[in-house]
Amino acid sequence: MSDDIPLAPFTYEGLDPVPEPKSTIAEVSEAVKGTVHRVSGAIEAGRKPGMPLSILSNIAREAPLGSLLVAFLLGVAVARRR
């Protein structure tokens, strides 16, 4: 057995190229696109028959003045808490 220290393997440039840094605007843009995609997916899932958004839209369609009154009262209640 020899006292030689084994050398680290050679690294070649180009095998694992360093990814180019993204600008802050590009990162924010990707984050916003991902968020929009998730929110729109949740809305679409909520609009399926029997789901909450479907039920709310049916109620609003059948009784628009009652729905407006409920929304107004909820808005007043939330605004007073702050």
Side-chain angles (χ1 to χ4, degrees):
M1 187 161 204
S2 67
D3 292 330
D4 295 335
I5 298 174
L7 298 175
F10 293 111
T11 56
Y12 297 99
E13 290 183 28
L15 289 180
D16 284 336
V18 177
E20 293 185 29
K22 294 182 181 179
S23 69
T24 305
I25 294 174
E27 290 178 11
V28 170
S29 173
E30 287 181 13
V32 168
K33 286 179 184 177
T35 303
V36 167
H37 182 67
R38 286 190 299 275
V39 169
S40 64
I43 290 172
E44 288 301 318
R47 286 186 178 170
K48 291 181 181 176
M51 297 301 284
L53 286 179
S54 174
I55 294 169
L56 286 174
S57 66
N58 288 338
I59 291 170
R61 196 175 304 123
E62 293 172 8
L65 289 178
S67 299
L68 183 61
L69 175 65
V70 170
F72 175 76
L73 292 176
L74 282 172
V76 169
V78 170
R80 286 199 169 188
R81 288 187 180 183
R82 292 182 183 212

